[in-house]
Amino acid sequence: LESCHRIEATIKGGSSALLGVTRGKPSERRLESVLLTPEGFILFDAEFREGQTIVRRAVAPFDSQAFARGLMEDVSLLFLPPQAKPAGWEKETDGTMTCAWEGPDKFLTEIKGSTERGWKILRRNKRGKVIREVALNGPFVNGLASHVELRAFKPASYRLRMTLVQQSP
C-alpha cells in the first residue's frame, strides 16, 4: 500500500494545504506517514509498528507527542482494519452495509455504506460519544476512496479534506 493525498487541514478556523504520503503493510499493522508542504519540505515523518509510534522527523508545530499520537491514530483509522473481530455485517433494506467492532481500548468503530454511495466510519469513545467521523467517497481506486473527509471532535477539533493524488498497490 502506498498513497499520496492532497490535504486541506482546518484547525481552529485556520486552513492550510499539505501533502500526505502513507506507506504500509496492513497485514502487519505497520504504517509510515509523511506530511510535506506543497513544495516538498518534510514537516513530519513517523512509523507505526507493533502499536508504537516512532517519530523520525518533526518540525514545530508538528513536533509534540500528542500530535504524533493523534496523526498516527487517524492514519491507522483510515488505512488499517480494526484489531477486534467484527460483530458481523448487516445489510439494510436500502442495500447499505453496516458493521461494528469494539477494540481492546473499549472504543467502538462502526462502518456503514456501500461502494456506490460511499462509506462512513464512526469512532466512539467508551461513553459512546463520536470522536472521529470519516466520509469515504469515490471513485474508489484499488479499494481507496478518492475523496476523504475526516472530522475530529475530541480531544481537539479539526477537519481534514483529503484528495487522492496517487496510489500504488
Side-chain angles (χ1 to χ4, degrees), residues 9-164:
T10 305
I11 303 168
K12 296 181 184 172
S15 183
S16 59
L18 302 166
L19 289 175
V21 176
T22 303
R23 286 185 294 269
K25 294 186 177 180
S27 62
E28 296 177 15
R29 298 199 60 75
R30 196 167 103 193
L31 291 171
E32 297 175 50
S33 184
V34 180
L35 281 181
L36 307 104
T37 65
E39 299 80 21
F41 180 74
I42 296 174
L43 301 170
F44 180 84
D45 179 359
E47 181 177 358
F48 180 79
R49 180 178 58 208
E50 298 172 8
Q52 300 290 323
T53 297
I54 301 140
V55 178
R56 296 186 286 232
R57 178 185 177 125
V59 299
F62 305 98
D63 57 347
S64 74
Q65 284 186 328
F67 176 83
R69 185 176 46 255
L71 181 121
M72 296 312 281
E73 284 175 8
D74 287 348
V75 171
S76 296
L77 178 64
L78 294 172
F79 294 100
L80 295 179
Q83 283 185 281
K85 292 191 185 247
W89 285 95
E90 293 179 15
K91 189 172 187 176
E92 297 179 16
T93 55
D94 67 355
T96 301
M97 300 293 292
T98 305
C99 192
W101 292 261
E102 185 175 330
D105 56 5
K106 301 296 181 203
F107 282 37
L108 185 70
T109 302
E110 301 168 294
I111 298 177
K112 184 179 205 169
S114 69
T115 304
E116 297 80 33
R117 290 188 295 271
W119 295 90
K120 185 166 276 195
I121 302 172
L122 297 174
R123 181 104 161 113
R124 297 178 187 275
N125 65 15
K126 295 174 190 176
R127 291 184 294 260
K129 297 230 185 247
V130 175
I131 57 172
R132 297 284 187 281
E133 180 179 288
V134 180
L136 305 164
N137 295 300
F140 290 85
V141 180
N142 294 325
L144 287 181
S146 295
H147 303 282
V148 176
E149 183 170 329
L150 183 145
R151 294 180 62 207
F153 304 103
K154 301 242 178 209
S157 177
Y158 56 91
R159 181 178 64 202
L160 305 175
R161 287 187 176 150
M162 303 169 52
T163 303
L164 186 63

